[in-house]
Amino acid sequence: MTIVKATLKQLFRRKWKLPLAVLLCGVALVVVYHAFEVNALRETFSEAWRMPPDTRSPEQSAAITEWPRLSPFLTILNGLFLIGPLLVGMLMPGGVVANERRSGAIMLWAQHPMPLSRFYMHRYLGMQIANLAALALIGISFLLALTLPPGAIATMDQFGESCLAGLLCCAISFAISALGIRRAAFLTFAYYFASNMTMSAQLRDTLLGTSDVMPFLIFPTRLIREFTMGFQSGVPWDWGATATVVYHFALWTAIAWLGLRRLERRPLKL
């Protein structure tokens, strides 16, 4: 059995719960929208909200009561569905290099005839393949959602952005672990959150002087959005966004490779 296949088998056995949970969030959205006729309920609520209470019909009065209860639940489900691919990507590597270095299990792989860096890069390839398979599983619920009216669930663009961001999160999490740093998933999430805060409207003016450099240093959320928009008909392809997204994948893969080469010289932390 090759290293990639062994990695896939291990991940499918240990990491199946989170992709399944995200899938269930998408399925739950589809079920709720069909069961409660959410779009009609939202429109009835909007109409009733602008009317005096004594002029509302029984249906409008019921909507005033039901929609405030249902809306937060739908928002949470939709948010979990969108952030799910990112969490899957962050957690897929599981801090494998740093944890095995700490436990000493890395010495077993150091005795493998293949160089340690190449061995772990093969495992990383298996992680990304497993990540893609998990995203395909999550996509099943999105295909179910295509039968719903517009606005019922995340759009294809939003889902594509989340999947591409999840693949990059997997690369970042593995690179952090390859540097021998534990809690790689948490640090990846912190980097993602800080990057989005940095590019928020409140801080954009402060960072205006370094705006040309920032896209190469922070998580490329905006550029991923611009990249995925190129798949729409009639939208010109953004080669700058494409190059920057490819740069981030290459950067974190190179960081992982350099970290693994360093660990080859001293696998155990003394």
Side-chain angles (χ1 to χ4, degrees):
M1 183 180 296
T2 65
I3 298 171
V4 175
K5 289 182 179 179
T7 303
L8 285 170
K9 184 177 180 180
Q10 179 191 29
L11 290 175
F12 286 147
R13 187 173 64 250
R14 299 181 58 186
K15 302 287 185 177
W16 60 271
K17 294 181 181 179
L18 181 57
L20 180 61
V22 180
L23 168 65
L24 292 178
C25 286
V27 173
L29 277 169
V30 175
V31 171
V32 169
Y33 267 87
H34 277 300
F36 291 92
E37 298 183 354
V38 171
N39 284 354
L41 181 62
R42 185 195 293 116
E43 293 176 1
T44 304
F45 173 82
S46 298
E47 294 174 358
W49 185 256
R50 295 189 294 266
M51 297 173 61
D54 54 349
T55 62
R56 295 170 183 165
S57 65
E59 293 80 7
Q60 291 173 332
S61 299
I64 288 290
T65 303
E66 294 177 9
W67 179 248
R69 299 175 182 173
L70 188 61
S71 179
F73 178 67
L74 291 172
T75 301
I76 292 172
L77 280 179
N78 209 11
L80 291 174
F81 180 72
L82 280 177
I83 202 173
L86 279 77
L87 296 178
V88 171
M90 293 174 189
L91 295 172
M92 189 63 71
V96 56
V97 182
N99 291 340
E100 291 181 355
R101 187 189 187 200
R102 180 180 176 85
S103 66
I106 195 173
M107 294 305 297
L108 295 175
W109 314 131
Q111 299 173 25
H112 197 277
M114 181 181 295
L116 196 62
S117 56
R118 193 184 306 172
F119 173 81
Y120 273 109
M121 291 303 290
H122 280 216
R123 293 182 69 179
Y124 167 65
L125 177 60
M127 293 171 194
Q128 284 289 29
I129 294 174
N131 196 17
L132 282 171
L135 296 179
L137 174 64
I138 296 171
I140 294 175
S141 58
F142 182 82
L143 293 177
L144 293 174
L146 293 180
T147 61
L148 297 175
I153 200 172
T155 64
M156 173 66 87
D157 295 335
Q158 291 174 314
F159 182 70
E161 292 168 22
S162 295
C163 291
L164 185 56
L167 294 174
L168 182 56
C169 283
C170 182
I172 296 171
S173 183
F174 178 78
I176 293 174
S177 178
L179 293 174
I181 303 173
R182 302 182 68 208
R183 305 289 186 266
F186 172 78
L187 293 176
T188 303
F189 179 80
Y191 170 66
Y192 173 81
F193 181 78
S195 296
N196 284 277
M197 290 296 295
T198 299
M199 292 307 294
S200 64
Q202 293 81 1
L203 296 177
R204 194 168 298 161
D205 294 337
T206 304
L207 298 170
L208 188 59
T210 57
S211 59
D212 293 337
V213 179
M214 293 304 294
F216 297 96
L217 301 178
I218 64 175
F219 194 94
T221 304
R222 178 179 59 83
L223 294 169
I224 287 175
R225 184 177 302 113
E226 294 174 0
F227 171 77
T228 55
M229 286 178 61
F231 292 97
Q232 299 179 9
S233 60
V235 178
W237 191 265
D238 193 332
W239 290 104
T242 303
T244 308
V245 171
V246 172
Y247 156 81
H248 277 276
F249 275 100
L251 172 67
W252 289 103
T253 302
I255 290 174
W257 176 260
L258 293 174
L260 292 172
R261 291 298 300 268
R262 183 178 64 87
L263 289 180
E264 278 184 345
R265 295 192 294 269
R266 195 176 68 176
L268 290 180
K269 186 176 181 179
L270 301 179

